[in-house]
């Protein structure tokens, strides 16, 4: 493994990016970024204080008039330049993402980084398409039009599972619409968020438009959400923390966008292509070591296919190669931390009391013993109301349950508090059509599970939150809609005035 750059040198000035420069946090507390594949230190930095948050918000507030006043074309050009800078530095971004997260380098190289570049290019184009409704005379006496305006300073919080992509999903629609932003990445994984902000500066985006504060959730995060100059909060993370964010944001009547937990069902009807479904289930349950809120976690398989599906998925899981994230042949890296690995292992160990661990369910030894690795795990025989079926595990664990009729399968798939993503597998277009209508999820795939594209929205139902990332729909979160109404009659004493005073 060769370093693309020395992390400690790159971030020697600190892990806060405020008003166009790196600086150290002033909380008096530090945090260490750890390579989860080895347990070794990557970077120790000073966490942000509430004062650092205040200064970042102030910088964003100062930058707002100029950035929101730029033309859509000017903002678009800046984002096109950013996409080019990201493309030039793609190898560095992939290396840093794998280092801090433990992602296999092929995932960082083929998914995280190109997805972020594509998202940037998409919003470069979308910045020019913020039109409101066309002007028309709806009352007969007035011309009405709708303006979309930037709302101000956005304070966003991104998670540790996809640090680069989630930072981009927060930053890009916000600034494409003319807002400025303060982003708090997860303390575990700040590197690529900071690099993204630095790339934006190199692309000519003005200082203060993008600010990064890396601090603890209960201090920096809560202060950011409650800040009176922050007009909107976008949060991606667990449903439990999302509820706390909502409580704080509500106190100051902020606009709120929440993308929370998931427990995605993978619904396999008895006429599905078994081989396609089995390969899809392995890929969709193990992506990012299962640390994906849209990952397939609950496979419901119609009884005639159930046993064959379990056998084939187990067989495929046993071929998955764990190893050094920087080895090109590695399929599965470690979880993000030893604490997360132990949490996942706890779910599996408790499940042994009421279900069957078909394959996996172990922490590997040997060369991988120092890392936060966990073997791909398949569980069968669990009850619908059991912990592994209802709770978000966030690891490389797939639970398989049988169903009989189509009604039962769809009902079981919908039987969790979550509703972020789902998939349906069948050769029958009417079956899959019904599933797309009745599955309560923000995204439903048919005969596939996990692909995302910049042009389409991402967001959930129920306890998975509300609002959309990506696509033009995300501008609903980041713009203020204003109705403008012009009198076209030039009549001083209008007829409707007589409804209020005087006689006709």
């Amino acid at each position: 493994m060769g370093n693309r750059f020395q992390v400690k040198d790159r971030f020697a000035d600190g892990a806060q990016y405020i008003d166009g420069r790196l600086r150290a946090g002033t909380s008096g507390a530090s945090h260490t970024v750890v390579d989860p594949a080895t347990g070794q230190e990557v970077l120790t930095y000073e966490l942000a204080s509430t004062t650092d948050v205040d200064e970042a918000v102030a910088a964003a507030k100062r930058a707002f008039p100029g950035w929101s006043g730029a033309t859509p074309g000017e903002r678009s050009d800046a984002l096109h330049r950013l996409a080019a800078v990201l493309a030039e530095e793609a190898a560095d971004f992939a290396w840093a993402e794998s280092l801090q997260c433990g992602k296999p380098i092929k995932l960082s190289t083929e998914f995280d980084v190109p997805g972020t570049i594509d998202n940037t290019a998409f919003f470069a184009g979308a910045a020019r398409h913020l039109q409101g409704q066309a002007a028309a005379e709806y009352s007969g006496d007035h011309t009405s039009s709708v303006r979309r305006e930037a709302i101000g300073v956005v304070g966003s919080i991104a998670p540790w599972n996809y640090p680069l992509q989630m930072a981009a999903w927060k930053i890009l629609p916000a600034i494409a619409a003319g807002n400025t932003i303060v982003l708090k990445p997860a303390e575990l994984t700040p590197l690529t968020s900071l690099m993204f902000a630095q790339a934006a500066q190199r692309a000519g985006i003005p200082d203060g438009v993008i600010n990064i504060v890396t601090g603890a959730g209960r201090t920096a995060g809560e202060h950011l959400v409650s800040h009176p100059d922050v007009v909107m909060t976008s949060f991606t993370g667990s449903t439990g923390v999302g509820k706390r964010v909502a409580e704080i944001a509500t106190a100051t009547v902020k606009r709120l966008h929440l993308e929370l937990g998931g427990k995605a069902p993978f619904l396999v009807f008895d006429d599905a292509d078994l081989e396609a479904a089995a390969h899809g289930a392995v890929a969709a349950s193990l992506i990012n070591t299962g640390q994906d809120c849209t990952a397939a976690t609950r496979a419901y398989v119609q009884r005639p296919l159930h046993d064959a599906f379990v056998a084939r998925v187990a067989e495929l899981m046993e071929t998955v190669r764990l190893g050094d994230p920087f080895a090109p042949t590695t399929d599965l890296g470690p979880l993000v931390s030893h604490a997360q690995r132990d949490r996942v292992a706890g779910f599996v160990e408790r499940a042994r009391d009421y279900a069957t661990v078909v394959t996996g369910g172990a922490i590997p030894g040997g060369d991988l013993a120092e890392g936060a690795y966990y073997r791909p795990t398949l569980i069968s025989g669990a009850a619908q109301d059991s912990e592994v079926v209802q709770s978000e595990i966030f690891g490389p664990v797939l639970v398989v349950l049988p169903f009989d009729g189509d009604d039962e399968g769809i009902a079981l798939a919908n039987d969790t508090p979550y509703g972020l993503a789902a998939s349906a597998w069948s050769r029958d277009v009417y079956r899959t059509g019904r599933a797309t209508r009745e599955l309560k999820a923000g995204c439903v795939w048919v005969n596939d599970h996990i692909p995302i594209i910049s042009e389409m929205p991402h967001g959930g139902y129920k306890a998975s939150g509300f609002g959309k990332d990506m696509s033009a729909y995300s501008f609903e979160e980041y713009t203020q809609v204003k109705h403008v109404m012009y009198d076209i009659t030039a009549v001083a004493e209008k007829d409707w005035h007589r409804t209020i005073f005087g006689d006709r």
Side-chain angles (χ1 to χ4, degrees):
M1 172 177 88
N3 286 8
R4 297 287 178 177
F5 53 82
Q6 294 295 324
V7 171
K8 292 178 182 179
D9 292 341
R10 176 76 172 255
F11 300 108
D13 293 331
Q16 317 301 325
Y17 187 84
I18 299 172
D19 205 15
R21 68 181 183 90
L22 286 172
R23 45 181 271 188
T26 61
S27 69
S30 63
H31 184 83
T32 299
V33 177
V34 173
D35 175 357
T38 63
Q40 296 178 358
E41 175 192 349
V42 172
L43 175 72
T44 297
Y45 65 91
E46 300 299 316
L47 290 163
S49 67
T50 56
T51 299
D52 297 323
V53 173
D54 289 341
E55 292 182 7
V57 173
K61 187 176 180 180
R62 287 193 300 271
F64 177 73
W67 184 248
S68 62
T71 66
E74 290 168 336
R75 292 197 295 269
S76 175
D77 288 347
L79 288 171
H80 277 299
R81 293 193 299 271
L82 174 56
V85 172
L86 295 174
E88 290 169 4
E89 301 177 4
D92 284 355
F93 274 96
W95 181 84
E97 194 78 336
S98 288
L99 181 66
Q100 66 181 350
C101 299
K103 295 175 188 283
I105 193 67
K106 67 179 182 178
L107 182 66
S108 295
T109 301
E110 297 176 21
F111 182 72
D112 296 73
V113 174
T116 301
I117 295 169
D118 183 75
N119 212 229
T120 305
F122 170 81
F123 279 106
R128 290 179 177 265
H129 297 280
L130 280 165
Q131 302 97 330
Q133 193 168 358
E137 287 68 48
Y138 294 98
S139 76
D141 292 337
H142 308 82
T143 295
S144 286
S145 64
V146 171
R147 292 175 54 86
R148 282 188 177 274
E149 298 180 348
I151 56 176
V153 178
V154 177
S156 293
I157 300 175
W160 49 257
N161 57 332
Y162 289 102
L164 176 60
Q165 289 208 78
M166 295 295 102
W169 286 14
K170 302 299 182 195
I171 292 168
L172 292 169
I175 68 171
N179 304 291
T180 55
I181 190 168
V182 179
L183 175 78
K184 192 195 90 65
E187 304 96 297
L188 291 172
T189 55
L191 303 182
T192 47
S193 299
L194 294 164
M195 292 168 63
F196 188 91
Q198 291 175 310
Q201 184 184 55
R202 288 192 288 278
I205 293 175
D207 293 348
V209 172
I210 301 171
N211 305 274
I212 310 293
V213 290
T214 310
R218 291 196 175 276
T219 51
E222 293 199 0
H223 190 65
L224 177 62
V225 175
S226 66
H227 199 290
D229 289 334
V230 170
V231 298
M232 175 191 164
T233 290
S234 177
F235 170 81
T236 296
S238 71
T239 297
V241 177
K243 291 177 180 178
R244 175 61 179 158
V245 169
E247 290 173 1
I248 299 169
T250 300
T252 49
V253 200
K254 284 180 173 48
R255 185 176 294 199
L256 186 60
H257 167 219
L258 298 175
E259 199 265 86
L260 307 177
K263 191 71 177 174
F266 188 99
L267 186 60
V268 183
F269 294 102
D270 58 10
D271 66 338
D273 182 323
L274 177 62
E275 194 68 7
H279 279 263
V282 172
S285 62
L286 299 185
I287 185 172
N288 202 35
T289 319
Q291 299 166 126
D292 186 312
C293 49
T294 63
T297 59
R298 300 176 292 136
Y300 294 98
V301 184
Q302 204 152 20
R303 206 171 295 274
L305 285 186
H306 177 270
D307 292 352
F309 179 88
V310 170
R312 185 61 175 137
V313 169
E315 183 179 44
L316 290 171
M317 279 190 171
E318 288 164 6
T319 70
V320 171
R321 298 163 297 185
L322 281 69
D324 176 4
F326 292 94
T329 56
T330 293
D331 298 321
L332 196 75
L335 288 112
V336 75
S337 68
H338 289 76
Q340 180 65 12
R341 181 203 63 189
D342 293 345
R343 178 181 179 276
V344 170
F347 275 100
V348 177
E349 291 309 304
R350 291 189 296 274
R352 294 184 192 276
D353 293 337
Y354 56 81
T356 300
V357 177
V358 180
T359 189
I363 297 171
D367 294 341
L368 304 181
E370 298 301 317
Y373 290 89
Y374 197 75
R375 294 202 179 280
T377 300
L378 182 66
I379 296 174
S380 68
Q384 175 68 10
D385 62 356
S386 63
E387 180 186 48
V388 290
V389 175
Q390 293 294 326
S391 298
E392 189 172 31
I393 299 172
F394 229 56
V397 180
L398 177 64
V399 185
V400 184
L401 299 90
F403 71 93
D404 291 305
D406 292 15
D407 291 351
E408 181 190 16
I410 291 173
L412 289 170
N414 284 331
D415 182 30
T416 70
Y418 301 108
L420 187 58
S423 64
W425 297 73
S426 171
R427 291 182 174 94
D428 186 329
V429 66
Y430 295 103
R431 265 182 153 175
T432 57
R434 178 190 176 189
T436 62
R437 294 190 301 273
E438 296 186 13
L439 288 170
K440 303 303 181 186
C443 176
V444 179
W445 292 283
V446 175
N447 293 325
D448 209 345
H449 189 118
I450 220 72
I452 54 174
I453 50 175
S454 298
E455 291 83 357
M456 288 291 112
H458 177 86
Y461 284 31
K462 302 188 292 185
S464 291
F466 48 82
K468 300 299 179 184
D469 287 312
M470 298 198 300
S471 82
Y473 290 98
S474 65
F475 287 135
E476 302 297 328
E477 320 304 325
Y478 294 99
T479 57
Q480 185 69 267
V481 174
K482 177 187 287 185
H483 172 214
V484 179
M485 199 171 195
Y486 295 89
D487 172 66
I488 60 172
T489 66
V491 173
E493 297 183 16
K494 295 179 172 58
D495 185 61
W496 76 266
H497 295 170
R498 303 289 73 80
T499 303
I500 310 305
F501 72 96
D503 298 317
R504 286 187 174 84

